[in-house]
Amino acid sequence: MSTPDSPMLGPRCGLCGGPAVVQWQRRLTETEFADYLSLIQDRRDNQLLLADPDQPPPDLGPLPDPSDCTRSVYACAQHAITLDAAARVHTQTCTAPAESDLPGCNCAPEPVAVPDPEPERPQLPASWITEEA
């Protein structure tokens, strides 16, 4: 429970610092991605250092690339972008929630991912189908 003297918990608007009510994603900037990659590499180095030398080394998989990473952007109700724009991933240089661009932004967000098609239902053998009287 917050008091008038304590700060509110939770995400804050990136523009005014008020309590966030909306969120969307944007790609990491080159600096943010380099920092993230450094953190991941440090974790991997630590895992290899702590690995049992009598066992095979851990399979850490490939390092992430920029298309794997996004950052959350938050805004209050006054500085929110449109619902359609918030459903898409924005570029690393997106200015939202800049007041001059609201209720939109200055970038062309990535298209919405197309869901995988529903798999076809298998046909049951005729002997399994019962007819209702």
Side-chain angles (χ1 to χ4, degrees), residues 108-128:
E110 297 173 8
V112 175
V114 178
D116 292 333
E118 290 280 329
E120 285 189 37
R121 291 186 175 187
Q123 289 293 328
L124 295 174
S127 62
W128 282 37

Side-chain angles (χ1 to χ4, degrees), residues 27-130:
R27 294 289 171 201
L28 300 180
T29 65
E30 291 178 16
T31 303
E32 290 168 338
F33 182 70
D35 292 344
Y36 177 68
L37 207 52
S38 176
L39 177 68
I40 296 295
Q41 190 60 54
D42 288 347
R43 285 183 186 167
R44 288 173 176 231
D45 293 344
N46 196 31
Q47 284 178 310
L48 292 173
L49 181 66
L50 297 174
D52 185 348
D54 296 333
Q55 298 293 322
D59 179 15
L60 303 175
L63 286 169
D65 64 44
S67 65
D68 297 328
C69 305
T70 59
R71 168 157 283 186
S72 294
V73 179
Y74 301 100
C76 63
Q78 183 179 351
H79 300 121
I81 60 176
T82 65
L83 180 61
D84 290 337
R88 300 165 65 188
V89 176
H90 294 253
T91 65
Q92 62 182 340
T93 58
C94 183
T95 60
E99 284 194 76
S100 60
D101 298 323
L102 292 176
C105 65
N106 72 334
C107 77
E110 297 173 8
V112 175
V114 178
D116 292 333
E118 290 280 329
E120 285 189 37
R121 291 186 175 187
Q123 289 293 328
L124 295 174
S127 62
W128 282 37
I129 299 173
T130 60

Side-chain angles (χ1 to χ4, degrees), residues 5-36:
D5 297 339
S6 69
M8 289 189 62
L9 302 177
R12 311 302 284 179
C13 177
L15 191 60
C16 70
V21 296
V22 295
Q23 166 194 340
W24 60 93
Q25 303 290 316
R26 72 162 170 79
R27 294 289 171 201
L28 300 180
T29 65
E30 291 178 16
T31 303
E32 290 168 338
F33 182 70
D35 292 344
Y36 177 68

